Every structure is written in structure tokens, then in C-alpha cells.
Amino acid sequence: MPVLMIATYNEDGSVNVMNAAWGTMQERGTVALNLTESHKTVKNIKAKGAFTVSIADAAHVVEADYFGIESGNKVADKFAKSGLSATKAECVDAPVINEFPHCI
């Protein structure tokens, strides 16, 4: 099962990423996410109206796990601590995690 990583920008422009344990690909071109209101990522999505979904790979299992364990509500620089890098998406106001092989 793919590990879905949801990326947004925080209010200060820093990158936020969460591991969406309750997300799945329903059919070609459709992803369903079940996210709780209390997540920092959901607050960012509501504020910005944008996010990206990346698929983590085996080479980055430690980072993907970290994004699922650590809360952006408690650790403001969570993404910076991961050692990964990001680029602004071309079509939405959200980050693309450079090290993950696929992003939508």
C-alpha cells in the first residue's frame, strides 16, 4: 500500500508534511483522504486551499514514519528536522517534496 504524504505551507511559509494513514487511491486519478480537523495540515489546507499528495518510497521510510509520528502542532520546524527538501508546486500554493518519487 502506498504511503501518502500530504504537504502544505504553514502561515510563515515553512513546509508542513503529514503521513496520511487514512488515505487511499480509489481509482485512477482519485485519492480519498480522511483527515482530522485537529491536524496542522488540515488547518493549513483550509487557510491556503491547496496541498500536494506525494507517495513515499522505501528509501525514505524513516522520514515518512517521522511525518506520521511527530505533530506539526507541537514541532514548528518538523520538515526542517527531516533533512528533506521541497520546491513550490507549479499549479498550487503547496510544496513538492523533492526526494519522493511521485507528487500530485
Side-chain angles (χ1 to χ4, degrees):
M1 198 70 192
V3 177
L4 302 179
M5 310 305 295
I6 313 306
T8 62
Y9 285 121
N10 293 315
E11 330 56 63
D12 65 1
S14 62
V15 175
N16 173 271
V17 182
M18 75 171 283
N19 182 323
W22 295 100
T24 186
M25 292 179 277
Q26 288 188 309
E27 60 187 62
R28 187 176 183 91
T30 303
V31 174
L33 302 171
N34 297 301
L35 307 176
T36 306
E37 295 279 332
S38 61
H39 288 293
K40 177 67 175 160
T41 304
V42 173
K43 294 172 188 172
N44 291 343
I45 290 170
K46 287 184 169 189
K48 292 276 190 177
F51 63 95
T52 58
V53 178
S54 293
I55 298 175
D57 58 4
H60 297 95
V61 69
V62 171
E63 294 87 345
D65 188 51
Y66 174 70
F67 292 138
I69 293 170
E70 193 62 73
S71 170
N73 286 319
K74 296 178 182 174
V75 178
D77 59 350
K78 177 170 104 166
F79 183 74
K81 289 182 177 183
S82 76
L84 300 180
S85 63
T87 305
K88 186 181 182 311
E90 292 180 22
C91 299
V92 295
D93 187 16
V96 173
I97 310 309
N98 298 323
E99 291 78 6
F100 293 157
H102 303 287
C103 180
I104 51 177

